[in-house]
Amino acid sequence: MEQLAIYCRKSQENKDRDSSSIEEQELQGKKLAKELGLEPVLFIEQTSSGKLDLKDRPIMIDMLQKISVKGSSIKAVFAYDTSRLYRNDETKGQFLTIIKRKNIELYFKAGRYDWNDPHAKLLHNILSATDEFFVDLTSMKIKDTLRSKAKNGKVNGAVLPYGYAKDENNYLKIDKEESKIIIKIFDDFIDGKTSTQIRNWLIDNKIPTRYNKIGGTNKIIHKERNETRVYKKSDSVWTNGTILQYLRNPIYKGQRRWGEEFFDAPIIIDPIKWEKANKSYINRNKGSLRGKSTEHKYLLTPLLQCGCGQSLNGRSNKLENYYGCAGKRYKEKRCNSKYMPIRVLDAIITHLVYGKLYDTVKESFSGSNSQKREELQSRINNLESELQKIETNQIRIEDLLADGIYTKDKYLRQTKRLDDKTNDIKIKKSNIEESLKSLKGDTNILEEIDELTNLAHSQIDYPFEDTHPDLMKNLANTIFKGYLALNLPFEEKQKTIRKYIKNILVKWIPESKIYEIVISYRLPIDDEIYLMDSLTLHLVDAQKRKIQWVNQARYNKHRDVAIEKAQKKLQKYVL
């Protein structure tokens, strides 16, 4: 049945001490409800001031929240007079905006509120220009409801943590089968097994993930490549990250996290065992449960994609750094791609961007060098300030250890965290200092490349000038500028490459032992396709069948036979 909200308030203001009682206000409201054929719903604020802001009037907020919900039964509001509702222009505007938006009629003892009153229309139009308060009000109601459910042990409709289900009354309960898997995961960590070993066991034994059971699709947006992928949830597999999330989740020891609060939950893992499993992992991984971002070390990481669809990530071993497919960590994906040395792929992309798009690149760095120097120096100063704070924190945790406030395990963990942060900042600082050194006086390093290229042109007598003007000169121009750009500061190269390139697809063709490299630009340029042999000696433009880059470091070390064999592979390969 449709309802009339009856708002009653006994004011704190002295002049209102003798005004109508709550009972009288309620009586008048119920009389109107009967006349309108609506069910009366009471909202009684025993003692408060009409001058208060809306946020300080909980009963009015409750009434407005009930009005705001979708499909609300409240169709009208009654108050004895305007002073019952508001003595504050801001509160008046917020109140009128909400009920007008929901097409709610407003009644007083004197009669229906006239929405055509010029003053009322002006105030409403001004405040209804923004929906912020309405959104906040609805959000507040939703958050309060969800928090209340969590506190009472109920499910909130989101995906349940693995190991839990809900009963017929929507209360959180332990899932008997899934909880066995959670217990095994914690036992395995305590026994010293790695997340990869645990993951492989789950896959080998065909244990379904939470998404396998839910079904539907999952959308992943890659902002750097401006790409959206849709996956079937039924195809999802166990990952190391998922298993580590379970290890860290305190719900399994009975503490359900809700924002900054913790509420009781059914216990799957004894709290002592939970702590033991976490410490076991921490000790094996030098005090850290979190992965470390190394994006600033790798020039192309966000742009690279393997032929199998996975990302190519920067990695390192004792011999060299390389880009490797993320899918190679998972045996069921069976990605057969080869690792690509970082120095090779970085050199290729730098050569192509600065050689072929040099004028465009140079324009992006035009402007005041003095302003750039100030900006870089400011960034260096900020990083030095961060290093000083870390030094202060290191002294503080040593004092906490000496005073017995920190255990040795906690001290080692904090020390490891600060050491990692220090190394990260030092690398960033070094990269910025490199960029700062490249700005000498008022001469940018890109201008130096121009000068060196022009000097080379002046020393060379190019053939075919009569029949094909500038043909060889333009080719040499591209080669010189691409080669010289290899010495640019890391940050400058990174900024440019990420600005102009959208995606770099590296596909390994095992039957031909050839790499296909497809470069997609953020410019109105068609995708470019290049071919490279397995020895990473040559890069060939697939359309023009011309060599674009040569790996001089390796080229001089190989016998002519190996070089000829690599060249023949490229010549025979057909896209």
Side-chain angles (χ1 to χ4, degrees), residues 503-519:
N503 188 54
I504 304 171
L505 176 65
V506 181
K507 186 177 181 181
W508 168 246
I509 315 296
E511 56 272 20
S512 302
K513 295 186 178 179
I514 283 176
Y515 292 98
E516 263 188 26
I517 302 174
V518 182
I519 302 176

Side-chain angles (χ1 to χ4, degrees), residues 20-276:
S20 300
S21 66
I22 295 289
E23 291 76 14
E24 175 63 19
Q25 296 175 53
E26 182 181 334
L27 182 63
Q28 292 290 338
K30 288 182 177 178
K31 180 181 176 182
L32 176 65
K34 188 174 181 180
E35 293 173 3
L36 298 175
L38 301 176
E39 178 187 356
V41 181
L42 295 172
F43 295 90
I44 300 175
E45 205 137 32
Q46 291 292 345
T47 305
S48 66
S49 171
K51 295 179 181 178
L52 291 174
D53 290 337
L54 189 54
K55 63 182 177 63
D56 298 317
R57 299 177 64 180
I59 301 300
M60 182 176 279
I61 285 180
D62 182 45
M63 179 179 72
L64 291 175
Q65 286 174 334
K66 285 182 169 61
I67 290 171
S68 301
V69 297
K70 186 176 181 180
S72 173
S73 299
I74 298 176
K75 301 303 177 185
V77 173
F78 168 80
Y80 192 79
D81 54 35
T82 57
S83 68
R84 300 305 96 194
L85 289 172
Y86 39 69
R87 287 180 176 275
N88 175 319
D89 282 344
E90 184 177 355
T91 299
K92 177 181 178 181
Q94 292 169 337
F95 176 84
L96 293 178
T97 296
I98 290 173
I99 65 169
K100 178 66 174 176
R101 175 173 177 161
K102 299 296 290 186
N103 294 319
I104 302 295
E105 291 290 349
L106 177 58
Y107 291 88
F108 298 107
K109 183 185 177 184
R112 187 167 64 89
Y113 183 79
D114 184 6
W115 286 105
N116 293 316
D117 176 60
H119 294 91
K121 289 178 69 176
L122 175 63
L123 185 59
H124 168 71
N125 290 337
I126 291 172
L127 285 153
S128 63
T130 173
D131 290 335
E132 182 179 358
F133 181 76
F134 182 84
V135 172
D136 288 346
L137 190 72
T138 306
S139 175
M140 188 189 307
K141 178 67 174 177
I142 293 171
K143 287 179 180 178
D144 287 346
T145 302
L146 294 179
R147 180 187 177 279
S148 178
K149 284 185 177 181
K151 185 177 181 180
N152 294 325
K154 285 194 171 185
V155 173
N156 278 316
V159 177
L160 294 174
Y162 196 88
Y164 291 95
K166 61 180 179 180
D167 64 16
E168 61 278 4
N169 295 316
N170 241 29
Y171 283 94
L172 196 66
K173 70 173 185 178
I174 294 174
D175 184 295
K176 290 183 180 180
E177 295 304 316
E178 290 185 354
S179 62
K180 293 177 183 178
I181 301 301
I182 293 296
I183 292 170
K184 176 170 175 53
I185 288 173
F186 276 81
D187 286 341
D188 285 350
F189 270 117
I190 292 172
D191 291 340
K193 290 185 179 178
T194 66
S195 56
T196 300
Q197 289 174 318
I198 296 171
R199 173 190 174 278
N200 289 342
W201 182 89
L202 292 168
I203 293 172
D204 291 342
N205 286 273
K206 295 181 172 56
I207 306 298
T209 67
R210 168 63 78 234
Y211 274 172
N212 290 153
K213 296 181 178 182
I214 293 175
T217 58
N218 192 27
K219 183 186 294 184
I220 297 178
I221 300 175
H222 196 301
K223 292 182 180 179
E224 289 287 346
R225 294 200 292 260
N226 193 26
E227 176 184 73
T228 301
R229 299 185 200 170
V230 178
Y231 296 94
K232 289 183 178 179
K233 290 182 178 179
S234 57
D235 294 336
S236 66
V237 295
W238 290 95
T239 66
N240 293 23
T242 299
I243 293 166
L244 292 177
Q245 284 177 6
Y246 293 167
L247 179 70
R248 294 193 287 265
N249 197 337
I251 194 172
Y252 297 116
K253 63 176 179 178
Q255 295 181 0
R256 185 182 184 184
R257 184 187 290 114
W258 193 259
E260 300 297 324
E261 299 179 271
F262 288 90
F263 301 124
D264 291 340
I267 296 175
I268 293 178
I269 303 297
D270 181 83
I272 296 177
K273 179 188 280 191
W274 190 94
E275 296 291 347
K276 188 175 180 181

Side-chain angles (χ1 to χ4, degrees), residues 286-287 390 393-398 401 406-423:
K286 300 179 182 178
I390 290 175
N393 284 335
Q394 287 173 330
I395 295 172
R396 185 175 64 85
I397 64 173
E398 288 175 2
L401 177 65
Y406 270 9
T407 63
K408 187 175 180 181
D409 285 344
K410 190 171 184 179
Y411 167 77
L412 290 174
R413 185 174 182 178
Q414 293 296 326
T415 300
K416 174 66 167 56
R417 180 180 65 83
L418 293 176
D419 286 345
D420 286 346
K421 192 172 181 180
T422 298
N423 291 334

Side-chain angles (χ1 to χ4, degrees), residues 10 117 157 227 333 352 407 464 469 477:
K10 182 68 175 176
D117 176 60
E227 176 184 73
K333 293 187 183 296
L352 292 175
T407 63
F464 314 119
N477 204 45

Side-chain angles (χ1 to χ4, degrees), residues 527-572:
D527 289 356
E528 297 176 340
I529 304 176
Y530 297 92
L531 306 175
M532 189 166 63
D533 59 275
S534 58
L535 297 176
T536 65
L537 293 174
H538 307 88
L539 183 77
V540 174
D541 186 317
Q543 305 300 330
K544 299 177 182 178
R545 295 287 169 173
K546 290 182 179 179
I547 293 177
Q548 294 290 324
W549 176 85
V550 176
N551 187 349
Q552 294 290 349
R554 300 196 69 182
Y555 194 86
N556 296 329
K557 295 179 180 179
H558 280 78
R559 294 181 301 161
D560 291 342
V561 176
I563 294 172
E564 289 174 6
K565 187 176 180 181
Q567 289 174 336
K568 287 180 180 178
K569 283 182 184 178
L570 293 175
Q571 291 169 354
K572 290 180 180 179

Side-chain angles (χ1 to χ4, degrees), residues 429-481:
K429 183 169 174 281
S430 174
N431 289 335
I432 297 172
E433 287 172 341
E434 185 183 12
S435 295
L436 187 60
K437 289 178 182 178
S438 73
L439 300 175
K440 301 174 182 177
D442 289 328
T443 304
N444 189 288
I445 192 169
L446 291 173
E447 293 174 359
E448 291 184 2
I449 292 177
D450 260 341
E451 292 175 4
L452 290 171
T453 306
N454 291 333
L455 178 62
H457 291 330
S458 68
Q459 305 297 319
I460 299 174
D461 184 17
Y462 292 107
F464 314 119
E465 282 296 296
D466 294 337
T467 55
H468 299 82
D470 293 331
L471 173 67
M472 298 304 295
K473 183 178 180 180
N474 289 338
L475 177 60
N477 204 45
T478 299
I479 294 172
F480 284 142
K481 289 178 177 177

